[in-house]
Amino acid sequence: DLFCLLCSKSHCCATMSLQSAAMSFFPDDYFVVKKSGLSQFQAMTAYLGGSAFQTIMDNPVTAYRQLVQQYAKDLNGKPVDPKIASAEAQAVFRAHPV
Protein backbone atom coordinates (compact mmCIF):
# COMPACT_ATOMS: atom_id res chain seq x y z
CA ASP A 1 0.00 0.00 0.00
CA LEU A 2 0.98 3.60 -0.52
CA PHE A 3 1.70 5.63 2.59
CA CYS A 4 0.95 9.36 2.78
CA LEU A 5 3.81 11.49 4.10
CA LEU A 6 1.48 14.40 4.83
CA CYS A 7 -1.09 12.79 7.11
CA SER A 8 0.70 9.50 8.03
CA LYS A 9 -2.23 7.37 6.87
CA SER A 10 -2.12 4.61 4.34
CA HIS A 11 -5.44 5.43 2.67
CA CYS A 12 -5.90 9.19 2.47
CA CYS A 13 -7.24 11.00 -0.58
CA ALA A 14 -3.74 12.00 -1.79
CA THR A 15 -2.47 8.42 -1.90
CA MET A 16 -5.71 7.20 -3.45
CA SER A 17 -5.40 9.67 -6.33
CA LEU A 18 -1.72 8.81 -6.75
CA GLN A 19 -2.55 5.11 -6.82
CA SER A 20 -5.30 5.57 -9.40
CA ALA A 21 -2.98 7.73 -11.52
CA ALA A 22 -0.33 5.00 -11.43
CA MET A 23 -2.88 2.36 -12.37
CA SER A 24 -4.16 4.36 -15.33
CA PHE A 25 -0.64 4.81 -16.70
CA PHE A 26 -0.91 1.45 -18.50
CA PRO A 27 -4.02 0.33 -20.37
CA ASP A 28 -5.94 -2.54 -18.80
CA ASP A 29 -4.76 -5.00 -21.45
CA TYR A 30 -1.07 -3.95 -21.48
CA PHE A 31 0.07 -7.19 -19.82
CA VAL A 32 -2.51 -9.48 -21.49
CA VAL A 33 -1.16 -11.86 -24.14
CA LYS A 34 -2.84 -11.17 -27.51
CA LYS A 35 -3.55 -13.46 -30.48
CA SER A 36 -0.03 -12.80 -31.74
CA GLY A 37 1.34 -14.60 -28.66
CA LEU A 38 2.80 -11.45 -27.08
CA SER A 39 1.51 -8.80 -24.75
CA GLN A 40 2.31 -5.14 -25.36
CA PHE A 41 4.70 -5.35 -22.38
CA GLN A 42 6.56 -8.30 -23.91
CA ALA A 43 6.80 -6.59 -27.29
CA MET A 44 8.19 -3.40 -25.74
CA THR A 45 10.65 -5.40 -23.63
CA ALA A 46 11.86 -7.26 -26.72
CA TYR A 47 12.23 -4.00 -28.64
CA LEU A 48 14.24 -2.38 -25.84
CA GLY A 49 16.35 -5.51 -25.45
CA GLY A 50 17.15 -5.49 -29.16
CA SER A 51 18.12 -1.83 -28.97
CA ALA A 52 20.39 -2.50 -26.00
CA PHE A 53 22.02 -5.42 -27.81
CA GLN A 54 22.66 -3.31 -30.89
CA THR A 55 24.15 -0.49 -28.84
CA ILE A 56 26.39 -2.67 -26.68
CA MET A 57 27.40 -5.42 -29.11
CA ASP A 58 26.84 -4.43 -32.72
CA ASN A 59 27.95 -0.79 -32.75
CA PRO A 60 31.51 -1.44 -31.48
CA VAL A 61 31.95 -4.32 -33.96
CA THR A 62 30.74 -2.12 -36.82
CA ALA A 63 33.03 0.71 -35.72
CA TYR A 64 36.02 -1.65 -35.66
CA ARG A 65 35.13 -3.05 -39.11
CA GLN A 66 34.93 0.47 -40.51
CA LEU A 67 38.29 1.28 -38.91
CA VAL A 68 39.90 -1.72 -40.64
CA GLN A 69 38.32 -0.66 -43.96
CA GLN A 70 39.76 2.82 -43.48
CA TYR A 71 43.26 1.35 -43.23
CA ALA A 72 42.69 -1.09 -46.13
CA LYS A 73 44.21 1.42 -48.56
CA ASP A 74 47.42 3.38 -48.37
CA LEU A 75 47.78 7.14 -48.91
CA ASN A 76 47.87 6.62 -52.68
CA GLY A 77 44.58 4.68 -52.62
CA LYS A 78 46.19 1.33 -53.35
CA PRO A 79 45.01 -1.74 -51.41
CA VAL A 80 47.32 -2.92 -48.65
CA ASP A 81 47.76 -6.39 -47.17
CA PRO A 82 44.80 -7.19 -44.87
CA LYS A 83 47.20 -8.13 -42.07
CA ILE A 84 48.78 -4.66 -42.25
CA ALA A 85 45.39 -2.93 -42.31
CA SER A 86 44.23 -5.00 -39.34
CA ALA A 87 47.42 -4.29 -37.39
CA GLU A 88 47.13 -0.53 -38.01
CA ALA A 89 43.46 -0.53 -36.99
CA GLN A 90 44.24 -2.51 -33.82
CA ALA A 91 47.01 -0.07 -32.91
CA VAL A 92 44.64 2.89 -33.27
CA PHE A 93 41.87 1.05 -31.41
CA ARG A 94 44.18 0.16 -28.51
CA ALA A 95 45.55 3.69 -28.28
CA HIS A 96 42.05 5.27 -28.33
CA PRO A 97 39.42 2.66 -27.31
CA VAL A 98 36.65 5.17 -26.63
Side-chain angles (χ1 to χ4, degrees):
D1 281 345
L2 295 172
F3 186 76
C4 180
L5 297 174
L6 300 174
C7 67
S8 301
K9 295 180 183 176
S10 62
H11 293 289
C12 73
C13 56
T15 57
M16 296 282 214
S17 63
L18 180 62
Q19 188 174 15
S20 65
M23 292 297 213
S24 67
F25 184 72
F26 295 110
D28 292 338
D29 64 344
Y30 188 72
F31 297 99
V32 175
V33 177
K34 308 282 177 146
K35 286 190 286 186
S36 65
L38 291 175
S39 68
Q40 291 175 336
F41 170 75
Q42 291 170 322
M44 181 59 74
T45 303
Y47 174 78
L48 293 174
S51 296
F53 180 84
Q54 182 175 6
T55 302
I56 294 169
M57 297 299 295
D58 188 42
N59 287 355
V61 172
T62 300
Y64 180 73
R65 179 185 52 78
Q66 289 173 346
L67 192 61
V68 171
Q69 287 177 338
Q70 178 179 342
Y71 287 100
K73 295 185 178 183
D74 62 12
L75 295 176
N76 298 324
K78 296 180 182 178
V80 298
D81 184 24
K83 291 180 183 179
I84 294 172
S86 181
E88 290 178 0
Q90 286 179 6
V92 170
F93 192 72
R94 286 185 183 130
H96 308 285
V98 179

